[in-house]
Amino acid sequence: MIEVPTGCQDYYPALYGGVSAIHLAADGIHREEIPVPAAEINSRFVLAYTGAPRHSGINNWEVFKAHINGDKKIFRNFAEISSIAQSMRLALLKSDWKEIAHLLHEEWKLRKTNAPGITTPLIENLVASAMKNGALAAKVCGAGGGGCVIFLVEPDAKLRVSEVIPTIGGQVLPFKLATKGLSVLAE
């Protein structure tokens, strides 16, 4: 349908809304709702567009090929990213924002080593500038290479981070966590 390699987990946020843990198991995909108030998410994240469209198929294909070819680094990274995701679930359940920031930072460090196009000089500049202005962690959304970057901030740093992003070449996008997922209206 969309003709690019993508993950099955990409569809769940839109289907259900809210904060979720997606469990990929032998018997299928399972979603677990994580009870984090929408206001908490809305006050702690800044979303920015890099101005460059992302080409997820390119980065995803490079990682997919490396996995098929048995690249040990990719296997290690995926194992670590999986471990981080499991720890992130626990940190979210405890509302441990310091740990969430640490895990987000560690995940980004690993993810950007999966393929050369996942990060760009602009993304690195956005992240560095945001960190100097109070961001706790950041990572690209999706496969990277452009598109959007999400920044975790303390609520009192949200304005500072939002103001510095345009000076580096990014565009802050207004967003709110969708608390309800997809609705189908029948006529």
Side-chain angles (χ1 to χ4, degrees):
M1 179 181 269
I2 61 173
E3 300 180 0
V4 294
T6 185
C8 53
Q9 74 284 349
D10 293 350
Y11 308 102
Y12 281 79
L15 284 172
Y16 294 99
V19 178
S20 302
I22 307 300
H23 303 278
L24 307 176
D27 66 339
I29 302 166
H30 307 280
R31 175 192 170 265
E32 173 189 1
E33 181 179 356
I34 306 291
V36 180
E40 189 77 14
I41 296 294
N42 296 338
S43 71
R44 291 186 175 273
F45 286 94
V46 174
L47 179 64
Y49 179 56
T50 63
R54 69 180 183 92
H55 302 287
S56 64
I58 296 168
N59 287 335
N60 287 344
W61 179 242
E62 290 304 316
V63 174
F64 188 70
K65 282 191 313 186
H67 192 270
I68 288 173
N69 291 333
D71 185 324
K72 288 181 177 30
K73 180 186 84 172
I74 294 295
F75 277 88
R76 278 192 310 272
N77 280 3
F78 280 158
E80 282 294 314
I81 288 169
S82 174
S83 177
I84 288 168
Q86 292 168 47
S87 296
M88 180 69 77
R89 174 187 163 273
L90 296 173
L92 283 164
L93 286 168
K94 293 187 235 172
S95 295
D96 184 348
W97 293 99
K98 182 177 179 184
E99 181 65 4
I100 291 165
H102 168 74
L103 293 166
L104 195 65
H105 177 73
E106 292 301 311
E107 196 278 349
W108 174 233
K109 281 193 334 190
L110 282 168
R111 183 154 318 261
K112 65 185 178 177
T113 66
N114 280 343
I118 290 175
T119 192
T120 66
L122 174 60
I123 291 170
E124 291 299 310
N125 288 337
L126 286 168
V127 171
S129 295
M131 298 294 279
K132 288 178 188 167
N133 283 277
L136 303 173
K139 71 179 292 294
V140 296
C141 300
C148 291
V149 180
I150 192 86
F151 301 89
L152 174 59
V153 301
E154 288 290 356
D156 64 351
K158 186 170 183 168
L159 181 60
R160 282 194 320 276
V161 171
S162 296
E163 289 175 343
V164 77
I165 288 169
T167 69
I168 308 302
Q171 176 188 357
V172 175
L173 301 176
F175 83 97
K176 287 195 274 185
L177 178 70
T179 56
K180 295 182 182 171
L182 175 69
S183 295
V184 178
L185 304 176
E187 291 185 21

